[in-house]
Amino acid sequence: MTNGEDSLKLSNQLCFPLYTASRLVTKCYQPLLSKLDLTYPQYLVLLVLWEEDQVRLSDIAVKLQLQSNTLTPLLKRMEELKLIKRLKSSEDERSIIISLTEKGIALKKEAEWIPESLGEKLNLSAVEAKQLYQLLYKLINSAE
Amino acid sequence: MTNGEDSLKLSNQLCFPLYTASRLVTKCYQPLLSKLDLTYPQYLVLLVLWEEDQVRLSDIAVKLQLQSNTLTPLLKRMEELKLIKRLKSSEDERSIIISLTEKGIALKKEAEWIPESLGEKLNLSAVEAKQLYQLLYKLINSAE
DNA sequence: GATATTTGTATCGTGCACGATATAAGTGAT
DNA sequence: ATCACTTATATCGTGCACGATACAAATATC
């Protein structure tokens, strides 16, 4: 972007808008998700499970790029909310299989309007959203 | 992006790469910042102060889009690390003025190589970085 | 087949982030 | 001056995120 003296200016750093945008988008979800009594990371877990039920904890960890020490308590809270079940795998006793409960499955219908609702909050055109999407994935894949 | 059935797919959501990219970039900073005994939000506060010393807590809050209940303990920890001073404003006894200590000022020199070092970790071209930067700011400004 | 290594999950400690709420200082209207 | 109102910061409680570490099940090695 720039070199030398200005490199430490907040306005010249990519890190800052990334950090701010991420928190801001999470914040946009908050009022929508609180109606479903969900937090943002819990919603991400459900997105995984709505696509494919019966997933190992370690597979969720890979998909969401989260570690076991983050996921374990998060999933335990979701279990307390009766959204998911945590069962040991019969094939490998070390693995925990996460599956949706009836309540977790039913929640999908209630969540279907969320993406659209969020799209309205963020004033990006379809082209811009796609561009941003691609750049972010390039960034994610570039740094391992 | 897409409508109907697929809208809840993780891979179709802008929120997820944003969230992941932000955590990933923070993680890239971590080894660099730990050498200076700093966390990422602490580094952001220093970026603000290196640009302009003697800033009110509330002004830092606006610049970093953080709330007082996040900043207060964060700044107290930085005070314990002898990086900053927290003094009540003489003009308005409600305000806290944050200023750099000698140690805080000296740290700027040690941090100057960080932006460049991070640029190497993230495999984005200058054009892509600028594009991403602009899209993120558009997003931030669009949603208030 | 006892031992070493790897893998999957959990535990512990620290530091954000933020909603809700409290408190004290300043401001304004009566 | 009094009382409502606003503003600046702090406190409290909850939920991530992650480094370090522990531990048990599975696998590999000898």
Side-chain angles (χ1 to χ4, degrees), chain B:
Chain B
M1 210 146 321
T2 48
N3 298 326
E5 176 60 19
D6 288 341
S7 67
L8 279 177
K9 276 202 174 178
L10 192 61
S11 53
N12 288 335
Q13 307 251 357
L14 191 54
C15 66
F16 175 62
L18 198 51
Y19 168 78
T20 306
S22 176
R23 285 189 302 117
L24 190 136
V25 169
T26 304
K27 214 175 203 165
C28 286
Y29 274 96
Q30 209 271 320
L32 311 179
L33 292 177
S34 70
K35 289 179 188 171
L36 307 182
D37 201 21
L38 289 175
T39 67
Y40 183 70
Q42 287 171 10
Y43 173 66
L44 292 179
V45 169
L46 287 178
L47 288 181
V48 171
L49 292 172
W50 286 333
E51 263 189 75
E52 182 192 1
D53 206 347
Q54 322 257 20
V55 188
R56 284 186 306 157
L57 187 152
S58 53
D59 290 336
I60 296 178
V62 170
K63 286 201 180 181
L64 299 185
Q65 297 280 334
L66 291 170
Q67 298 175 5
S68 72
N69 49 3
T70 299
L71 273 178
T72 296
L74 198 162
L75 292 171
K76 282 187 177 176
R77 277 187 290 271
M78 292 180 76
E79 189 183 32
E80 281 170 24
L81 293 170
K82 310 285 186 198
L83 293 171
I84 61 164
K85 280 173 284 192
R86 297 163 65 253
L87 292 171
K88 279 201 174 183
S89 166
S90 53
E91 292 155 23
D92 186 338
E93 292 274 326
R94 295 169 304 177
S95 297
I96 303 280
I97 306 287
I98 308 298
S99 58
L100 289 165
T101 60
E102 289 300 320
K103 187 180 170 189
I105 293 168
L107 212 58
K108 184 175 182 180
K109 277 226 159 61
E110 297 187 54
E112 258 160 10
W113 56 281
I114 289 182
E116 192 184 351
S117 176
L118 202 87
E120 289 168 11
K121 286 198 184 188
L122 309 176
N123 278 326
L124 286 189
S125 70
V127 174
E128 287 170 331
K130 189 174 183 183
Q131 225 177 14
L132 179 53
Y133 182 91
Q134 287 171 344
L135 284 166
L136 289 171
Y137 266 106
K138 173 146 195 193
L139 181 67
I140 291 167
N141 295 325
S142 84
E144 282 137 328

Side-chain angles (χ1 to χ4, degrees), chain A residues 11-67:
Chain A
S11 53
N12 288 334
Q13 306 250 358
L14 191 55
C15 66
F16 175 63
L18 198 51
Y19 167 78
T20 306
S22 176
R23 285 189 302 118
L24 191 136
V25 169
T26 304
K27 214 176 202 165
C28 286
Y29 274 96
Q30 209 272 321
L32 310 179
L33 293 177
S34 71
K35 289 178 188 171
L36 307 182
D37 201 22
L38 290 175
T39 66
Y40 183 70
Q42 287 170 9
Y43 173 66
L44 292 180
V45 170
L46 286 178
L47 288 180
V48 171
L49 292 172
W50 286 332
E51 264 188 72
E52 183 192 359
D53 205 348
Q54 321 257 21
V55 188
R56 283 187 306 157
L57 187 151
S58 53
D59 290 334
I60 296 179
V62 170
K63 286 200 182 182
L64 299 184
Q65 298 280 334
L66 291 170
Q67 298 174 4

